[in-house]
Amino acid sequence: MLMNGIFVVGAGPAGIFAARQIALAGIDAFLFNRDIKPGGLAEYGIYPLKDKMKSGLRKQFSKVLELPNVHYFGHVQVGAPYDVTIADLDAMRPAAIVFSNGAQGTKKLGLPGEDVKGVYAAKDFVYHYNQLPPYATMDFSSGKRVAVIGMGNVAIDIARWLLLDAPGRETGEVIIVARRGPSEIKFDKKEIEYVDRHLDRDQLTQELERVRERCARVGQDASPETVFENHFRRLKDPAFTSVPPRLSFRFLSSPTAILPGDNGRIAALEIAENELVLRPDGSTAAKDTEARTKLPVDTLIFAIGDKHDAQLGLPMGKEGYSTRPNPDRPAEPVFEVWDPTINAVLPGRFVSGWARQASTGLVGIARHDGEVGANKAIEYVKSAADHGTLSAQEIQSRLEAKGLRIVNKLDLALLARAEERARESGWLGLRPFSDNDAMFQAIDREREQMQSSTSEGDRLVPTT
Ligand SMILES: Cc1cc2nc3c(=O)[nH]c(=O)nc-3n(C[C@H](O)[C@H](O)[C@H](O)COP(=O)(O)OP(=O)(O)OC[C@H]3O[C@@H](n4cnc5c(N)ncnc54)[C@H](O)[C@@H]3O)c2cc1C
């Protein structure tokens, strides 16, 4: 039994760096992670070909997990309908819990036909091509004409995958559909450069001319010159020539209905033509003009952000998990969970990373958020009474008594070794094991080998 350990739910960048902060403060950190592998969206969201970035992050994550007072329980999903509830965690007597479980819910618009085949949420689609179980083996088939709703980096990642890298790809056109105009583009210059060769300059010019006047009415300059200068520099080059497949944009358009074909798959997307209206704070809102157009598409992907998983068991507010109100300093991040039914902070409960603010920021921001959230928890624990947190061994036994197969740090090392072996023997794909059973079998095989070789066994010390 320990005096006071801190639990961290989720081992993405926020959770891992929260655990590091806790461990460096001399407190045991216990990571509970839904996936077998740590890393969250850094492992299963960041574009598969960003190898250097991903392997750099993996190294940093491994270093954190090597800390002796960081304990890992992978393949454990926390939440009311899942493997363990928050009450189950409380029964293991943590002094505090930092929730860093990201934003696992998907935003839907509630449109007619949203559940037909070929309609996906961006994160699920991204999890699929990054081969996260169980998404890796689910049907995320795409066709010839794909509409992607949203103008952020995730939408561009998906376009890049469909246009350039999807195995056996057959996409002829990706259409980025946005409810407002080009002034609201959110993607970075670096990201669009992967796909801007697929734009057709004449077509984009025509689209900008189509919406130019409507944008001008709210003071936005949607002239091709300005938009090319701000977002599509390559198109300014007179020698630019477009390469297939095609990337196109459709501005001032909101999806209103999904129309299935005879095969049950989406056949068309109905969109509303929007006007822009100025809000009192100077921002713009899209207003439906009642005019409708149908875009024939066979795949539709919503890249409009994610929301928090309400099944986790934390109180929900307007923006996701409810945090302490802070009207005097609205810009200041708040990490303490708030129960609106009793108007009080839930003692010892904190949120960080995308679990605090869904779909906000890159890995560095999530890391920082995890560290600051952990500092709040450390501060709280310093003045807390002795909770008698269970030891890692006791926690593992409790979880196993629930029939769960837990992945600990030794298992991660065994899995890494099995992946290395697969690569050495010629595996060239993204991941040698893309479902949980295959990963468990690989871990078991490596364990057997380790046990039959004492010298290797000495090198891999079993530890949670
Ligand atoms: C498509 C895409 C591309 C991106 N590309 C980049 C990029 O190129 N560069 C960059 O810097 N950033 C990129 N980002 C952003 C970056 O991935 C995030 O900033 C970061 O991963 C958020 O970290 P997090 O720990 O808060 O959440 P996540 O990374 O989502 O981690 C959440 C963790 O919680 C676990 N979990 C979830 N639910 C539960 C539960 N109920 N119980 C237990 N565990 C749970 C998950 O298994 C996961 O390990 C990208 C994001 C997306 C979606």
Side-chain angles (χ1 to χ4, degrees):
M1 213 184 274
L2 295 161
M3 293 254 300
N4 276 331
I6 299 180
F7 288 5
V8 179
V9 175
I16 291 175
F17 285 104
R20 177 175 175 273
Q21 197 76 358
I22 293 164
L24 294 182
I27 300 171
D28 278 56
F30 299 82
L31 276 163
F32 297 82
N33 194 40
R34 176 196 66 195
D35 307 330
I36 287 181
K37 286 184 159 207
L41 284 166
E43 179 67 39
Y44 292 109
I46 291 181
Y47 202 72
L49 300 186
K50 289 188 179 170
D51 291 332
K52 230 169 117 187
M53 177 190 281
K54 289 182 102 151
S55 67
L57 287 167
R58 278 184 202 125
K59 276 189 200 134
Q60 292 182 35
F61 298 159
S62 299
K63 275 202 156 162
V64 174
L65 291 179
E66 278 166 18
L67 294 170
N69 54 347
V70 170
H71 311 280
Y72 185 76
F73 305 97
H75 197 230
V76 180
Q77 190 170 12
V78 177
Y82 308 135
D83 302 322
V84 293
T85 62
I86 296 177
D88 292 331
L89 291 185
D90 282 338
M92 300 176 208
R93 302 198 286 276
I97 308 181
V98 180
F99 293 90
S100 304
N101 52 303
Q104 305 302 328
T106 50
K107 271 194 187 164
K108 290 209 167 177
L109 297 176
L111 303 179
E114 222 164 45
D115 295 326
V116 308
K117 228 177 138 204
V119 179
Y120 313 120
K123 186 159 44 51
D124 298 352
F125 190 77
V126 166
Y127 276 161
H128 170 73
Y129 69 61
N130 267 298
Q131 295 189 16
L132 170 69
Y135 302 90
T137 47
M138 288 160 66
D139 176 15
F140 281 91
S141 53
S142 49
K144 291 203 178 340
R145 270 171 67 86
V146 183
V148 181
I149 314 291
M151 290 199 290
N153 285 332
V154 173
I156 300 303
D157 265 12
I158 288 171
R160 180 179 170 192
W161 179 254
L162 292 164
L163 295 168
L164 290 167
D165 298 315
R169 62 192 178 280
E170 50 177 88
T171 306
E173 182 169 11
V174 173
I175 311 157
I176 304 277
V177 179
R179 67 191 154 136
R180 290 179 285 177
S183 300
E184 312 293 335
I185 283 175
K186 297 282 186 291
F187 53 74
D188 298 333
K189 286 196 177 73
K190 238 173 73 194
E191 301 299 330
I192 193 71
E193 280 174 9
Y194 290 108
V195 289
D196 56 4
R197 285 178 187 80
H198 299 273
L199 290 163
D200 177 318
R201 185 167 40 205
D202 291 345
Q203 196 188 44
L204 185 54
T205 303
Q206 267 175 32
E207 174 61 10
L208 291 168
E209 295 297 352
R210 192 182 70 84
V211 297
R212 189 171 175 170
E213 204 188 301
R214 277 182 271 165
C215 292
R217 277 184 228 135
V218 293
Q220 292 182 352
D221 179 359
S223 64
E225 301 73 41
T226 301
V227 176
F228 289 2
E229 172 63 28
N230 290 342
H231 302 290
F232 306 104
R233 292 264 169 93
R234 202 189 298 275
L235 271 58
K236 288 172 58 193
D237 179 354
F240 171 83
T241 48
S242 173
V243 296
R246 172 76 49 86
L247 174 65
S248 60
F249 280 79
R250 174 95 198 182
F251 297 110
L252 300 189
S253 301
S254 295
T256 45
I258 291 154
L259 312 169
D262 293 341
N263 58 2
R265 192 181 176 95
I266 175 172
L269 174 67
E270 184 193 78
I271 48 176
E273 289 289 342
N274 294 330
E275 286 285 356
L276 290 175
V277 287
L278 266 182
R279 292 195 189 105
D281 66 358
S283 64
T284 55
K287 186 169 169 258
D288 187 349
T289 62
E290 308 284 323
R292 297 287 182 266
T293 310
K294 279 182 198 150
L295 291 181
V297 292
D298 50 31
T299 310
L300 171 65
I301 301 172
F302 285 101
I304 51 173
D306 314 295
K307 58 180 192 177
H308 294 143
D309 177 3
Q311 313 249 52
L312 183 74
L314 287 182
M316 301 297 290
K318 241 175 46 203
E319 308 279 332
Y321 299 136
S322 166
T323 49
R324 175 177 55 78
N326 193 13
D328 297 337
R329 293 183 192 164
E332 186 185 83
V334 176
F335 297 84
E336 295 88 353
V337 176
W338 175 263
D339 186 342
T341 60
I342 53 169
N343 272 332
V345 157
L346 283 180
R349 304 259 203 264
F350 302 88
V351 280
S352 77
W354 281 26
R356 191 176 69 75
Q357 257 199 315
S359 310
T360 306
L362 298 175
V363 165
I365 308 266
R367 171 187 177 152
H368 178 70
D369 216 71
E371 289 169 346
V372 181
N375 284 342
K376 301 276 175 195
I378 293 164
E379 244 170 71
Y380 169 82
V381 166
K382 277 186 180 155
S383 56
D386 178 2
H387 278 65
T389 308
L390 297 193
S391 70
Q393 283 308 324
E394 289 167 322
I395 292 172
Q396 170 132 357
S397 304
R398 281 229 182 161
L399 296 172
E400 284 171 347
K402 282 176 145 295
L404 301 173
R405 166 125 194 208
I406 305 305
V407 173
N408 60 26
K409 291 203 278 188
L410 171 63
D411 296 328
L412 288 182
L414 295 171
L415 182 58
R417 185 172 287 193
E419 287 176 339
E420 211 177 290
R421 267 190 223 282
R423 291 208 169 87
E424 279 163 10
S425 55
W427 174 265
L428 290 173
L430 182 60
R431 298 182 197 280
F433 315 109
S434 54
D435 69 59
N436 286 349
D437 285 346
M439 283 195 241
F440 283 130
Q441 282 162 20
I443 291 169
D444 292 342
R445 272 196 307 275
E446 287 296 327
R447 181 176 286 107
E448 276 166 31
Q449 290 207 16
M450 181 187 80
Q451 281 160 353
S452 65
S453 146
T454 342
S455 58
E456 279 193 81
D458 287 344
R459 285 217 307 273
L460 286 171
V461 183
T463 172
T464 45

